Amino acid sequence: MTKSTVVDRKAAWVLVPLFAGVGAITSCERIAYYSTGRNDPPPSTSTSSGTSSSGGPSLTRGALLQSVAACQLDLLASFRKAAEEFDTAAIAAKNDPTAREAARLAWTKAIDVWQQAELFQFGPAAPSNTPGGQSLRDQIYSWPLVSRCLVEQNIVSKSYENPDFGTAVLVNMRGLAAAEYLLYYGGSDNACSPSTNINASGDWAALGTDELALRKAHYASAIATSVANSARALEQAWRADGGNFIGKFLGAGSSGSVYTTEQMALNAVSDAMFYMEKPLKDLKLARPLGIMDCDAASCPEAVESRYAGRSRTHIRNNLVGFRMLLSGCDAGGNIGFDDLLTASGAGSLATKLTTNVDLAIAAADAVPQDDLAVALANDPSSVLALHAAVKSITDLLKTEFVSILDLEPPQHVEGDND
């Protein structure tokens, strides 16, 4: 389906509320702010109800929120299904070494979906100090907060067998990142210092290769169960027949919503899109490349997915997730921020952003190795090109995008001119 076809039927689509219990779309308002601690916005002078300043097809902000919510629910349902498949595969692999490759493949399927969902961190997935936030993202994937040494201490203590393991231990010892180490790292060494108890006591050395592999499989299974529980919790938190966050999201501006205006809800989505800036551009690319926070020419040890070697694919899936918000998804009628930009008279910016996202995905595909640590050694220019392609997107986000839509960038981005 072409984008123009979608735009043509948009006016009819936005008149049909997607979810029971959600009121009709309210009038379009001027986007002004979003934060938990910022001052209230100045009174809006806009009386627009969806009329395009460009004279083209109109689009209400409420319609965009409906599309975003539909994409969110569709993505969370896909992830919940993949997480449950990972749980099943990990259980099968606990005592059967021949089933461990299937567990790896199931982990791969789950993390691929989650990397797209990383861009959708608003509402229950977001930190608890944001509107509706329950910090559920960190229960599923806490990267870069991962501690290999603490995971290895748990292997010795077998704390993963405790009934409250999935809720009581720190997130840097569980989640999909910890599972990656347990499923993929086959070495018998550990990352703890010699003075750490597992080494000083000789408990780690006494495990032996077979027992170590067995405990890693059991630990991975405990994590898979925890992740599946969190995936169900996150989906239910959004669903109208569960926690009904979707009602609060689409009911922005009405009583009972955590968002006082539609603009505030839209700015929460915009804040999530800035995942492109700090986690993706800076942590996943600039630091390994040695551009920032690296004391050497490069820091390949800082790449994501060190054990499965899928750092390039993770970034590509992040870009796909960003494109869902920018250009929409099938579940949301392919309505995205690009349509709002076009309706605001900024069609050229919409085109530039869409083009730059496609170019960034092409740049990710052009990196010759899936493991960026290997690519940094063999073809660093390809990783530099990927960084530049991502930066071409974030440069527009920080300037024209927020300016035209009258959004505020996240506080961690304000004043960042790199």
PDB file of all heavy atoms in Angstrom, residues 358-395:
ATOM      1  N   ASP A 358      15.588   5.527   5.643  1.00  0.00           N
ATOM      2  CA  ASP A 358      15.870   4.471   4.663  1.00  0.00           C
ATOM      3  C   ASP A 358      17.373   4.366   4.394  1.00  0.00           C
ATOM      4  O   ASP A 358      17.914   3.262   4.261  1.00  0.00           O
ATOM      5  CB  ASP A 358      15.118   4.752   3.355  1.00  0.00           C
ATOM      6  CG  ASP A 358      13.614   4.549   3.493  1.00  0.00           C
ATOM      7  OD1 ASP A 358      13.193   3.885   4.467  1.00  0.00           O
ATOM      8  OD2 ASP A 358      12.866   5.058   2.639  1.00  0.00           O
ATOM      9  N   LEU A 359      18.039   5.512   4.331  1.00  0.00           N
ATOM     10  CA  LEU A 359      19.484   5.499   4.099  1.00  0.00           C
ATOM     11  C   LEU A 359      20.230   4.902   5.295  1.00  0.00           C
ATOM     12  O   LEU A 359      21.233   4.198   5.128  1.00  0.00           O
ATOM     13  CB  LEU A 359      19.984   6.921   3.825  1.00  0.00           C
ATOM     14  CG  LEU A 359      19.562   7.530   2.484  1.00  0.00           C
ATOM     15  CD1 LEU A 359      19.990   8.994   2.410  1.00  0.00           C
ATOM     16  CD2 LEU A 359      20.175   6.745   1.319  1.00  0.00           C
ATOM     17  N   ALA A 360      19.741   5.170   6.499  1.00  0.00           N
ATOM     18  CA  ALA A 360      20.392   4.599   7.688  1.00  0.00           C
ATOM     19  C   ALA A 360      20.223   3.082   7.720  1.00  0.00           C
ATOM     20  O   ALA A 360      21.156   2.357   8.084  1.00  0.00           O
ATOM     21  CB  ALA A 360      19.807   5.232   8.951  1.00  0.00           C
ATOM     22  N   ILE A 361      19.040   2.609   7.347  1.00  0.00           N
ATOM     23  CA  ILE A 361      18.840   1.151   7.281  1.00  0.00           C
ATOM     24  C   ILE A 361      19.759   0.551   6.217  1.00  0.00           C
ATOM     25  O   ILE A 361      20.368  -0.517   6.427  1.00  0.00           O
ATOM     26  CB  ILE A 361      17.362   0.835   6.994  1.00  0.00           C
ATOM     27  CG1 ILE A 361      16.515   1.210   8.220  1.00  0.00           C
ATOM     28  CG2 ILE A 361      17.174  -0.641   6.657  1.00  0.00           C
ATOM     29  CD1 ILE A 361      15.011   1.076   8.015  1.00  0.00           C
ATOM     30  N   ALA A 362      19.898   1.237   5.101  1.00  0.00           N
ATOM     31  CA  ALA A 362      20.814   0.754   4.063  1.00  0.00           C
ATOM     32  C   ALA A 362      22.254   0.763   4.559  1.00  0.00           C
ATOM     33  O   ALA A 362      23.042  -0.153   4.243  1.00  0.00           O
ATOM     34  CB  ALA A 362      20.677   1.612   2.808  1.00  0.00           C
ATOM     35  N   ALA A 363      22.609   1.771   5.351  1.00  0.00           N
ATOM     36  CA  ALA A 363      23.965   1.831   5.910  1.00  0.00           C
ATOM     37  C   ALA A 363      24.196   0.677   6.883  1.00  0.00           C
ATOM     38  O   ALA A 363      25.305   0.114   6.939  1.00  0.00           O
ATOM     39  CB  ALA A 363      24.183   3.170   6.609  1.00  0.00           C
ATOM     40  N   ALA A 364      23.175   0.318   7.660  1.00  0.00           N
ATOM     41  CA  ALA A 364      23.313  -0.837   8.563  1.00  0.00           C
ATOM     42  C   ALA A 364      23.502  -2.112   7.749  1.00  0.00           C
ATOM     43  O   ALA A 364      24.343  -2.960   8.085  1.00  0.00           O
ATOM     44  CB  ALA A 364      22.076  -0.952   9.455  1.00  0.00           C
ATOM     45  N   ASP A 365      22.743  -2.244   6.675  1.00  0.00           N
ATOM     46  CA  ASP A 365      22.871  -3.430   5.824  1.00  0.00           C
ATOM     47  C   ASP A 365      24.245  -3.499   5.169  1.00  0.00           C
ATOM     48  O   ASP A 365      24.721  -4.591   4.822  1.00  0.00           O
ATOM     49  CB  ASP A 365      21.787  -3.419   4.745  1.00  0.00           C
ATOM     50  CG  ASP A 365      20.395  -3.647   5.316  1.00  0.00           C
ATOM     51  OD1 ASP A 365      20.295  -4.192   6.440  1.00  0.00           O
ATOM     52  OD2 ASP A 365      19.409  -3.266   4.646  1.00  0.00           O
ATOM     53  N   ALA A 366      24.874  -2.330   4.990  1.00  0.00           N
ATOM     54  CA  ALA A 366      26.161  -2.302   4.297  1.00  0.00           C
ATOM     55  C   ALA A 366      27.332  -2.638   5.214  1.00  0.00           C
ATOM     56  O   ALA A 366      28.447  -2.878   4.727  1.00  0.00           O
ATOM     57  CB  ALA A 366      26.381  -0.916   3.688  1.00  0.00           C
ATOM     58  N   VAL A 367      27.115  -2.661   6.522  1.00  0.00           N
ATOM     59  CA  VAL A 367      28.199  -3.079   7.432  1.00  0.00           C
ATOM     60  C   VAL A 367      28.439  -4.566   7.192  1.00  0.00           C
ATOM     61  O   VAL A 367      27.504  -5.368   7.273  1.00  0.00           O
ATOM     62  CB  VAL A 367      27.814  -2.819   8.904  1.00  0.00           C
ATOM     63  CG1 VAL A 367      28.892  -3.351   9.836  1.00  0.00           C
ATOM     64  CG2 VAL A 367      27.589  -1.328   9.128  1.00  0.00           C
ATOM     65  N   PRO A 368      29.669  -4.962   6.889  1.00  0.00           N
ATOM     66  CA  PRO A 368      29.896  -6.332   6.414  1.00  0.00           C
ATOM     67  C   PRO A 368      29.714  -7.419   7.461  1.00  0.00           C
ATOM     68  O   PRO A 368      29.477  -8.568   7.102  1.00  0.00           O
ATOM     69  CB  PRO A 368      31.335  -6.295   5.893  1.00  0.00           C
ATOM     70  CG  PRO A 368      31.965  -5.143   6.593  1.00  0.00           C
ATOM     71  CD  PRO A 368      30.884  -4.140   6.793  1.00  0.00           C
ATOM     72  N   GLN A 369      29.849  -7.092   8.743  1.00  0.00           N
ATOM     73  CA  GLN A 369      29.685  -8.111   9.785  1.00  0.00           C
ATOM     74  C   GLN A 369      28.556  -7.716  10.727  1.00  0.00           C
ATOM     75  O   GLN A 369      28.369  -6.542  11.025  1.00  0.00           O
ATOM     76  CB  GLN A 369      30.977  -8.294  10.602  1.00  0.00           C
ATOM     77  CG  GLN A 369      32.077  -9.058   9.901  1.00  0.00           C
ATOM     78  CD  GLN A 369      32.934  -8.169   9.027  1.00  0.00           C
ATOM     79  OE1 GLN A 369      33.086  -6.978   9.301  1.00  0.00           O
ATOM     80  NE2 GLN A 369      33.505  -8.734   7.968  1.00  0.00           N
ATOM     81  N   ASP A 370      27.832  -8.731  11.220  1.00  0.00           N
ATOM     82  CA  ASP A 370      26.755  -8.450  12.163  1.00  0.00           C
ATOM     83  C   ASP A 370      27.307  -7.992  13.505  1.00  0.00           C
ATOM     84  O   ASP A 370      26.655  -7.245  14.229  1.00  0.00           O
ATOM     85  CB  ASP A 370      25.899  -9.710  12.337  1.00  0.00           C
ATOM     86  CG  ASP A 370      24.486  -9.376  12.794  1.00  0.00           C
ATOM     87  OD1 ASP A 370      24.125  -8.184  12.784  1.00  0.00           O
ATOM     88  OD2 ASP A 370      23.751 -10.296  13.162  1.00  0.00           O
ATOM     89  N   ASP A 371      28.482  -8.459  13.854  1.00  0.00           N
ATOM     90  CA  ASP A 371      29.132  -8.052  15.102  1.00  0.00           C
ATOM     91  C   ASP A 371      29.927  -6.771  14.828  1.00  0.00           C
ATOM     92  O   ASP A 371      30.941  -6.795  14.111  1.00  0.00           O
ATOM     93  CB  ASP A 371      30.054  -9.171  15.585  1.00  0.00           C
ATOM     94  CG  ASP A 371      30.636  -8.878  16.959  1.00  0.00           C
ATOM     95  OD1 ASP A 371      30.571  -7.707  17.403  1.00  0.00           O
ATOM     96  OD2 ASP A 371      31.167  -9.811  17.579  1.00  0.00           O
ATOM     97  N   LEU A 372      29.487  -5.668  15.401  1.00  0.00           N
ATOM     98  CA  LEU A 372      30.173  -4.398  15.133  1.00  0.00           C
ATOM     99  C   LEU A 372      31.603  -4.394  15.656  1.00  0.00           C
ATOM    100  O   LEU A 372      32.445  -3.655  15.149  1.00  0.00           O
ATOM    101  CB  LEU A 372      29.384  -3.238  15.747  1.00  0.00           C
ATOM    102  CG  LEU A 372      28.067  -2.850  15.065  1.00  0.00           C
ATOM    103  CD1 LEU A 372      27.497  -1.591  15.690  1.00  0.00           C
ATOM    104  CD2 LEU A 372      28.243  -2.675  13.561  1.00  0.00           C
ATOM    105  N   ALA A 373      31.889  -5.205  16.658  1.00  0.00           N
ATOM    106  CA  ALA A 373      33.272  -5.284  17.143  1.00  0.00           C
ATOM    107  C   ALA A 373      34.182  -5.831  16.047  1.00  0.00           C
ATOM    108  O   ALA A 373      35.323  -5.369  15.890  1.00  0.00           O
ATOM    109  CB  ALA A 373      33.342  -6.163  18.388  1.00  0.00           C
ATOM    110  N   VAL A 374      33.686  -6.785  15.297  1.00  0.00           N
ATOM    111  CA  VAL A 374      34.456  -7.332  14.175  1.00  0.00           C
ATOM    112  C   VAL A 374      34.513  -6.316  13.042  1.00  0.00           C
ATOM    113  O   VAL A 374      35.563  -6.104  12.428  1.00  0.00           O
ATOM    114  CB  VAL A 374      33.826  -8.656  13.693  1.00  0.00           C
ATOM    115  CG1 VAL A 374      34.587  -9.197  12.480  1.00  0.00           C
ATOM    116  CG2 VAL A 374      33.818  -9.690  14.815  1.00  0.00           C
ATOM    117  N   ALA A 375      33.398  -5.666  12.786  1.00  0.00           N
ATOM    118  CA  ALA A 375      33.358  -4.661  11.717  1.00  0.00           C
ATOM    119  C   ALA A 375      34.295  -3.500  12.024  1.00  0.00           C
ATOM    120  O   ALA A 375      34.924  -2.949  11.119  1.00  0.00           O
ATOM    121  CB  ALA A 375      31.932  -4.160  11.537  1.00  0.00           C
ATOM    122  N   LEU A 376      34.406  -3.130  13.297  1.00  0.00           N
ATOM    123  CA  LEU A 376      35.320  -2.046  13.665  1.00  0.00           C
ATOM    124  C   LEU A 376      36.763  -2.404  13.326  1.00  0.00           C
ATOM    125  O   LEU A 376      37.567  -1.533  12.975  1.00  0.00           O
ATOM    126  CB  LEU A 376      35.192  -1.747  15.168  1.00  0.00           C
ATOM    127  CG  LEU A 376      33.994  -0.897  15.589  1.00  0.00           C
ATOM    128  CD1 LEU A 376      33.862  -0.897  17.108  1.00  0.00           C
ATOM    129  CD2 LEU A 376      34.134   0.521  15.065  1.00  0.00           C
ATOM    130  N   ALA A 377      37.092  -3.668  13.443  1.00  0.00           N
ATOM    131  CA  ALA A 377      38.458  -4.108  13.137  1.00  0.00           C
ATOM    132  C   ALA A 377      38.680  -4.240  11.641  1.00  0.00           C
ATOM    133  O   ALA A 377      39.768  -3.922  11.135  1.00  0.00           O
ATOM    134  CB  ALA A 377      38.732  -5.449  13.827  1.00  0.00           C
ATOM    135  N   ASN A 378      37.656  -4.701  10.930  1.00  0.00           N
ATOM    136  CA  ASN A 378      37.839  -5.012   9.507  1.00  0.00           C
ATOM    137  C   ASN A 378      37.438  -3.887   8.559  1.00  0.00           C
ATOM    138  O   ASN A 378      38.027  -3.729   7.485  1.00  0.00           O
ATOM    139  CB  ASN A 378      37.021  -6.264   9.151  1.00  0.00           C
ATOM    140  CG  ASN A 378      37.515  -7.495   9.890  1.00  0.00           C
ATOM    141  OD1 ASN A 378      38.667  -7.557  10.319  1.00  0.00           O
ATOM    142  ND2 ASN A 378      36.648  -8.483  10.029  1.00  0.00           N
ATOM    143  N   ASP A 379      36.419  -3.151   8.931  1.00  0.00           N
ATOM    144  CA  ASP A 379      35.900  -2.118   8.023  1.00  0.00           C
ATOM    145  C   ASP A 379      35.296  -0.971   8.839  1.00  0.00           C
ATOM    146  O   ASP A 379      34.086  -0.745   8.813  1.00  0.00           O
ATOM    147  CB  ASP A 379      34.849  -2.726   7.091  1.00  0.00           C
ATOM    148  CG  ASP A 379      34.444  -1.772   5.971  1.00  0.00           C
ATOM    149  OD1 ASP A 379      34.927  -0.611   5.975  1.00  0.00           O
ATOM    150  OD2 ASP A 379      33.647  -2.177   5.112  1.00  0.00           O
ATOM    151  N   PRO A 380      36.139  -0.246   9.595  1.00  0.00           N
ATOM    152  CA  PRO A 380      35.595   0.811  10.459  1.00  0.00           C
ATOM    153  C   PRO A 380      34.852   1.895   9.701  1.00  0.00           C
ATOM    154  O   PRO A 380      33.957   2.541  10.253  1.00  0.00           O
ATOM    155  CB  PRO A 380      36.848   1.367  11.161  1.00  0.00           C
ATOM    156  CG  PRO A 380      37.996   0.962  10.295  1.00  0.00           C
ATOM    157  CD  PRO A 380      37.612  -0.345   9.684  1.00  0.00           C
ATOM    158  N   SER A 381      35.190   2.099   8.442  1.00  0.00           N
ATOM    159  CA  SER A 381      34.516   3.153   7.674  1.00  0.00           C
ATOM    160  C   SER A 381      33.025   2.845   7.509  1.00  0.00           C
ATOM    161  O   SER A 381      32.205   3.762   7.446  1.00  0.00           O
ATOM    162  CB  SER A 381      35.168   3.319   6.304  1.00  0.00           C
ATOM    163  OG  SER A 381      35.070   2.126   5.544  1.00  0.00           O
ATOM    164  N   SER A 382      32.689   1.558   7.455  1.00  0.00           N
ATOM    165  CA  SER A 382      31.268   1.211   7.314  1.00  0.00           C
ATOM    166  C   SER A 382      30.501   1.556   8.588  1.00  0.00           C
ATOM    167  O   SER A 382      29.332   1.966   8.524  1.00  0.00           O
ATOM    168  CB  SER A 382      31.107  -0.277   6.991  1.00  0.00           C
ATOM    169  OG  SER A 382      31.521  -1.095   8.075  1.00  0.00           O
ATOM    170  N   VAL A 383      31.142   1.403   9.740  1.00  0.00           N
ATOM    171  CA  VAL A 383      30.487   1.740  11.005  1.00  0.00           C
ATOM    172  C   VAL A 383      30.397   3.259  11.142  1.00  0.00           C
ATOM    173  O   VAL A 383      29.392   3.790  11.620  1.00  0.00           O
ATOM    174  CB  VAL A 383      31.238   1.121  12.198  1.00  0.00           C
ATOM    175  CG1 VAL A 383      30.466   1.359  13.495  1.00  0.00           C
ATOM    176  CG2 VAL A 383      31.454  -0.377  11.993  1.00  0.00           C
ATOM    177  N   LEU A 384      31.444   3.951  10.700  1.00  0.00           N
ATOM    178  CA  LEU A 384      31.395   5.422  10.698  1.00  0.00           C
ATOM    179  C   LEU A 384      30.269   5.926   9.799  1.00  0.00           C
ATOM    180  O   LEU A 384      29.565   6.893  10.140  1.00  0.00           O
ATOM    181  CB  LEU A 384      32.732   5.981  10.216  1.00  0.00           C
ATOM    182  CG  LEU A 384      33.812   6.200  11.274  1.00  0.00           C
ATOM    183  CD1 LEU A 384      35.149   6.526  10.600  1.00  0.00           C
ATOM    184  CD2 LEU A 384      33.414   7.312  12.242  1.00  0.00           C
ATOM    185  N   ALA A 385      30.078   5.282   8.671  1.00  0.00           N
ATOM    186  CA  ALA A 385      29.001   5.686   7.751  1.00  0.00           C
ATOM    187  C   ALA A 385      27.632   5.459   8.396  1.00  0.00           C
ATOM    188  O   ALA A 385      26.717   6.276   8.227  1.00  0.00           O
ATOM    189  CB  ALA A 385      29.116   4.896   6.454  1.00  0.00           C
ATOM    190  N   LEU A 386      27.506   4.387   9.149  1.00  0.00           N
ATOM    191  CA  LEU A 386      26.242   4.128   9.845  1.00  0.00           C
ATOM    192  C   LEU A 386      25.996   5.193  10.908  1.00  0.00           C
ATOM    193  O   LEU A 386      24.875   5.701  11.040  1.00  0.00           O
ATOM    194  CB  LEU A 386      26.270   2.732  10.473  1.00  0.00           C
ATOM    195  CG  LEU A 386      25.063   2.338  11.338  1.00  0.00           C
ATOM    196  CD1 LEU A 386      23.760   2.471  10.562  1.00  0.00           C
ATOM    197  CD2 LEU A 386      25.236   0.907  11.851  1.00  0.00           C
ATOM    198  N   HIS A 387      27.046   5.550  11.645  1.00  0.00           N
ATOM    199  CA  HIS A 387      26.915   6.612  12.647  1.00  0.00           C
ATOM    200  C   HIS A 387      26.483   7.924  11.991  1.00  0.00           C
ATOM    201  O   HIS A 387      25.582   8.618  12.483  1.00  0.00           O
ATOM    202  CB  HIS A 387      28.245   6.788  13.384  1.00  0.00           C
ATOM    203  CG  HIS A 387      28.247   7.926  14.356  1.00  0.00           C
ATOM    204  ND1 HIS A 387      28.679   9.199  14.014  1.00  0.00           N
ATOM    205  CD2 HIS A 387      27.858   8.000  15.652  1.00  0.00           C
ATOM    206  CE1 HIS A 387      28.556   9.988  15.062  1.00  0.00           C
ATOM    207  NE2 HIS A 387      28.062   9.292  16.071  1.00  0.00           N
ATOM    208  N   ALA A 388      27.105   8.248  10.867  1.00  0.00           N
ATOM    209  CA  ALA A 388      26.754   9.504  10.169  1.00  0.00           C
ATOM    210  C   ALA A 388      25.307   9.469   9.683  1.00  0.00           C
ATOM    211  O   ALA A 388      24.595  10.490   9.730  1.00  0.00           O
ATOM    212  CB  ALA A 388      27.706   9.717   8.996  1.00  0.00           C
ATOM    213  N   ALA A 389      24.868   8.310   9.234  1.00  0.00           N
ATOM    214  CA  ALA A 389      23.492   8.195   8.746  1.00  0.00           C
ATOM    215  C   ALA A 389      22.491   8.371   9.885  1.00  0.00           C
ATOM    216  O   ALA A 389      21.452   9.026   9.716  1.00  0.00           O
ATOM    217  CB  ALA A 389      23.302   6.835   8.077  1.00  0.00           C
ATOM    218  N   VAL A 390      22.802   7.802  11.046  1.00  0.00           N
ATOM    219  CA  VAL A 390      21.913   7.977  12.195  1.00  0.00           C
ATOM    220  C   VAL A 390      21.931   9.450  12.648  1.00  0.00           C
ATOM    221  O   VAL A 390      20.891  10.023  12.985  1.00  0.00           O
ATOM    222  CB  VAL A 390      22.332   7.036  13.346  1.00  0.00           C
ATOM    223  CG1 VAL A 390      21.544   7.358  14.618  1.00  0.00           C
ATOM    224  CG2 VAL A 390      22.116   5.575  12.950  1.00  0.00           C
ATOM    225  N   LYS A 391      23.104  10.056  12.625  1.00  0.00           N
ATOM    226  CA  LYS A 391      23.220  11.457  13.036  1.00  0.00           C
ATOM    227  C   LYS A 391      22.403  12.375  12.108  1.00  0.00           C
ATOM    228  O   LYS A 391      21.860  13.401  12.553  1.00  0.00           O
ATOM    229  CB  LYS A 391      24.682  11.885  13.038  1.00  0.00           C
ATOM    230  CG  LYS A 391      24.940  13.264  13.630  1.00  0.00           C
ATOM    231  CD  LYS A 391      26.433  13.555  13.729  1.00  0.00           C
ATOM    232  CE  LYS A 391      26.685  14.883  14.449  1.00  0.00           C
ATOM    233  NZ  LYS A 391      26.115  16.035  13.736  1.00  0.00           N
ATOM    234  N   SER A 392      22.304  12.008  10.854  1.00  0.00           N
ATOM    235  CA  SER A 392      21.512  12.829   9.929  1.00  0.00           C
ATOM    236  C   SER A 392      20.042  12.850  10.350  1.00  0.00           C
ATOM    237  O   SER A 392      19.316  13.802  10.037  1.00  0.00           O
ATOM    238  CB  SER A 392      21.649  12.303   8.498  1.00  0.00           C
ATOM    239  OG  SER A 392      20.911  11.095   8.314  1.00  0.00           O
ATOM    240  N   ILE A 393      19.606  11.806  11.029  1.00  0.00           N
ATOM    241  CA  ILE A 393      18.229  11.763  11.544  1.00  0.00           C
ATOM    242  C   ILE A 393      18.116  12.571  12.829  1.00  0.00           C
ATOM    243  O   ILE A 393      17.215  13.395  12.997  1.00  0.00           O
ATOM    244  CB  ILE A 393      17.804  10.296  11.799  1.00  0.00           C
ATOM    245  CG1 ILE A 393      17.879   9.476  10.507  1.00  0.00           C
ATOM    246  CG2 ILE A 393      16.398  10.243  12.389  1.00  0.00           C
ATOM    247  CD1 ILE A 393      17.752   7.979  10.720  1.00  0.00           C
ATOM    248  N   THR A 394      19.037  12.337  13.758  1.00  0.00           N
ATOM    249  CA  THR A 394      18.937  13.024  15.053  1.00  0.00           C
ATOM    250  C   THR A 394      19.146  14.528  14.914  1.00  0.00           C
ATOM    251  O   THR A 394      18.571  15.299  15.686  1.00  0.00           O
ATOM    252  CB  THR A 394      19.943  12.431  16.061  1.00  0.00           C
ATOM    253  OG1 THR A 394      21.278  12.566  15.564  1.00  0.00           O
ATOM    254  CG2 THR A 394      19.651  10.958  16.309  1.00  0.00           C
ATOM    255  N   ASP A 395      19.953  14.933  13.949  1.00  0.00           N
ATOM    256  CA  ASP A 395      20.126  16.379  13.719  1.00  0.00           C
ATOM    257  C   ASP A 395      18.789  17.033  13.353  1.00  0.00           C
ATOM    258  O   ASP A 395      18.483  18.148  13.806  1.00  0.00           O
ATOM    259  CB  ASP A 395      21.151  16.624  12.613  1.00  0.00           C
ATOM    260  CG  ASP A 395      22.579  16.395  13.078  1.00  0.00           C
ATOM    261  OD1 ASP A 395      22.790  16.232  14.298  1.00  0.00           O
ATOM    262  OD2 ASP A 395      23.480  16.366  12.213  1.00  0.00           O
TER     263      ASP A 395
END
